[in-house]
Amino acid sequence: SYLAVPVIARSGEVLGGLFFGHSQPDVFGERAERIVAAIASQAAIAIDKARLYRAAQEEIERRRKIEAALRESEQSLEHKVGERTLELAASNARLRAEAEERQRAEGRFQVLVDGVTDYAVYMLGPTGIVSNWNTGAQRIKGYGAEDIVGQHFSHFYTEEDRKAGAPERALAI
């Protein structure tokens, strides 16, 4: 006698089979076939569950590794942000110190320039706009700082010289 029952997963995949043999004929009847079919069904369920369990364990391990990598990446990023923040704070402190020193120097320069009364000392921007004006310039040119700062220096030229392009040539030089 021979009895064979396939072990089939829920997906329809054949996982294997249960095979029984006996030396005497007609040993396996319908009852034995139902019992072995039920055992094959239980075996398929057990195999499916084992596969699902293994897949779940693999997924848990994969996620654990990803979470560890994310934590490590986050810590690295926080460390880099901390370092960069310190660098920026140090740069800001240097820039503030430089700006304060520049303001002090400009203040000293302004006091020096304002103290010169025998000479006209003024500063022009690249386009010819007056940006600084001293007491000597006021005395010699006749314009107060409030009248000329922010104006084009071509005011110092006659109309004839302006038409001839003298201010532009002077600025180019």
Side-chain angles (χ1 to χ4, degrees):
S1 291
Y2 176 74
L3 177 61
V5 177
V7 178
I8 300 174
R10 280 185 8 202
S11 65
E13 174 189 4
V14 176
L15 302 172
L18 297 178
F19 302 93
F20 297 91
H22 199 280
S23 58
Q24 294 179 7
D26 294 326
V27 171
F28 304 112
E30 282 186 40
R31 183 174 183 270
E33 190 177 332
R34 283 193 310 270
I35 290 171
V36 173
I39 292 170
S41 229
Q42 292 298 315
I45 290 169
I47 291 170
D48 276 345
K49 284 183 176 182
R51 284 181 170 178
L52 285 171
Y53 179 78
R54 184 178 59 217
Q57 293 301 312
E58 288 171 355
E59 180 65 17
I60 288 168
E61 181 61 19
R62 185 182 73 80
R63 288 182 182 202
R64 187 193 62 72
K65 288 178 180 177
I66 289 171
E67 286 173 2
L70 284 172
R71 275 192 302 277
E72 184 180 319
S73 178
E74 181 183 353
Q75 289 170 351
S76 174
L77 185 58
E78 284 176 2
H79 179 72
K80 287 178 182 177
V81 166
E83 286 178 345
R84 187 66 179 140
T85 299
L86 290 175
E87 289 173 7
L88 290 173
S91 291
N92 281 342
R94 280 193 307 275
L95 288 172
R96 283 188 185 108
E98 289 173 8
E100 288 171 5
E101 178 57 33
R102 193 175 310 108
Q103 283 179 332
R104 285 192 295 274
E106 287 175 2
R108 289 189 303 264
F109 174 74
Q110 192 63 44
V111 167
L112 174 71
V113 169
D114 287 343
V116 175
T117 58
D118 293 338
Y119 299 94
V121 178
Y122 54 93
M123 189 180 305
L124 301 179
T127 60
I129 302 298
V130 177
S131 62
N132 197 332
W133 192 254
N134 79 336
T135 307
Q138 181 174 341
R139 190 174 63 77
I140 293 169
K141 294 287 191 181
Y143 296 103
E146 64 280 352
D147 299 324
I148 197 65
V149 171
Q151 300 296 317
H152 197 270
F153 85 112
S154 61
H155 284 134
F156 305 148
Y157 290 85
T158 64
E159 185 63 33
E160 183 178 294
D161 286 341
R162 282 194 292 265
K163 286 181 182 176
E168 289 78 17
R169 282 193 304 277
L171 189 59
I173 291 170

